[in-house]
Amino acid sequence: QLVESGGGLVQAGGSLRLSCAASGRTFSNYAVGWFRQAPGKEREFVAVTVWGSITTYYADSVKGRFTLSRDNAKNTVYLQMNSLKPEDTAVYYCAAQMGRSGVRLRSHEWDYWGQGTQVTVSS
């Protein structure tokens, strides 16, 4: 089970840190990712790690502003979001998968999902 937290309302230019805690799984064995879905749009990837690698891959729209990190001792993954923009408004989901190598950007390639947390950025 994956449980996200940390969403909320923030003004443009502000920061938020999302957390995703895993239970029943050892997160260090999985690739983890953050995705988001805005109203009327498809779910899109934000940041993903590559299974079996230390590589993290970021969407161009968040590169330089968002950072994915993980604390294996706490079985938790974070998404630090800085310099937030109104277009970052969405429901953010964490996801996990194990066994698929390479960069996986599509939702159907991820096996486990959290319930989502709302991030709203006001202008």
Side-chain angles (χ1 to χ4, degrees):
Q1 182 183 7
L2 305 179
V3 179
E4 301 102 333
S5 61
L9 173 64
V10 64
Q11 289 188 331
S15 298
L16 283 174
R17 188 177 79 157
L18 305 183
S19 300
C20 174
S23 60
R25 307 184 188 282
T26 302
F27 238 173
S28 60
N29 295 335
Y30 290 75
V32 294
W34 287 96
F35 292 74
R36 67 186 181 187
Q37 188 166 18
K41 294 187 176 182
E42 292 188 354
R43 191 170 298 187
E44 62 178 3
F45 96 98
V46 175
V48 298
T49 66
V50 177
W51 183 71
S53 168
I54 62 172
T55 303
T56 302
Y57 193 76
Y58 294 93
D60 287 343
S61 59
V62 307
K63 202 173 295 182
R65 300 188 297 123
F66 290 12
T67 302
L68 184 155
S69 62
R70 59 200 304 172
D71 185 335
N72 290 332
K74 295 183 178 180
N75 228 22
T76 300
V77 174
Y78 304 97
L79 184 68
Q80 178 67 44
M81 305 186 296
N82 299 326
S83 302
L84 282 161
K85 304 175 181 180
E87 51 264 42
D88 295 318
T89 295
V91 177
Y92 283 70
Y93 299 89
C94 68
Q97 64 94 0
M98 183 171 65
R100 298 185 183 89
S101 59
V103 181
R104 302 290 176 169
L105 306 180
R106 302 175 185 175
S107 298
H108 72 268
E109 296 176 305
W110 294 77
D111 301 314
Y112 306 101
W113 292 87
Q115 82 288 352
T117 185
Q118 176 70 46
V119 172
T120 303
V121 184
S122 63
S123 57

